[in-house]
Amino acid sequence: MTRPLFALLVSVVAAAAAPVPKSVKVKDAPLDGRWEIVEMRFGGQDITALNPWVWDIDGEKLTISNRHKDGTLMPNDPTTATTLVRPEKGEAGELDYLRAGAGSNLLFKGRAKVDGDELVVGFADPDKPRPTEVTTSTTYYHRFKRVKKEGEK
């Protein structure tokens, strides 16, 4: 009876004494970082001036802020959680935008393309089929430029 208990104790002590492997920094995904809106269209109409958005993307977490004329950032809608999801069985470039809050969840299916420091994203209306391509006439069209966060080199 004491032998199994002793063996368990030895294995726990050995496991505790084993060196902890150092974490490996995974290379950032092309979407990760801060993106500032350059052009935004809804149904083909330019609405960029109405939406001075800055997107901070970290994995699937999306934080949307508005850039004020003095340069400060304010949360776009603090009552809403926003998530970017790359569909598990999706094709390259497929991206979904989930907006959850105020008692509703809206799923916008879209496509994204990163070309250097430019991100172009297009989404369909909620629960509509994913656009086959992204153009300025896509229902929700966003073109961003990559910018550095304050204090980032």
Side-chain angles (χ1 to χ4, degrees):
M1 180 104 159
T2 59
R3 184 166 261 157
L5 182 59
F6 178 73
L8 177 63
L9 181 61
V10 168
S11 64
V12 168
V13 170
V20 177
K22 293 182 179 182
S23 63
V24 176
K25 173 132 174 73
V26 177
K27 186 176 179 182
D28 290 337
L31 294 178
D32 287 356
R34 177 167 283 177
W35 300 91
E36 191 151 350
I37 197 73
V38 172
E39 181 180 9
M40 181 185 285
R41 293 181 175 274
F42 173 68
Q45 295 205 340
D46 189 346
I47 59 169
T48 310
L50 302 173
N51 297 285
W53 280 3
V54 175
W55 279 14
D56 284 306
I57 302 173
D58 184 9
E60 291 187 349
K61 182 180 179 188
L62 169 63
T63 304
I64 301 175
S65 302
N66 290 319
R67 182 163 311 274
H68 289 261
K69 290 182 182 183
D70 66 2
T72 60
L73 293 176
M74 298 297 285
N76 180 282
D77 182 356
T79 64
T80 302
T82 51
T83 306
L84 289 177
V85 180
R86 294 168 184 106
E88 186 177 336
K89 295 181 181 176
E91 298 174 12
E94 289 187 358
L95 186 71
D96 293 341
Y97 169 68
L98 178 62
R99 189 176 158 99
S104 68
N105 293 327
L106 299 174
L107 177 65
F108 299 82
K109 294 179 181 176
R111 296 193 179 280
K113 180 181 176 189
V114 176
D115 186 9
D117 285 338
E118 182 175 81
L119 167 64
V120 176
V121 184
F123 296 103
D125 277 323
D127 301 320
K128 297 290 183 192
R130 185 179 318 281
T132 55
E133 63 180 351
V134 178
T135 67
T136 56
S137 61
T138 303
T139 304
Y140 296 93
Y141 173 85
H142 304 77
R143 187 167 55 92
F144 295 90
K145 66 178 177 181
R146 187 185 299 270
V147 296
K148 295 182 188 263
K149 295 180 181 182
E150 289 76 21
E152 191 177 64
K153 293 184 179 186

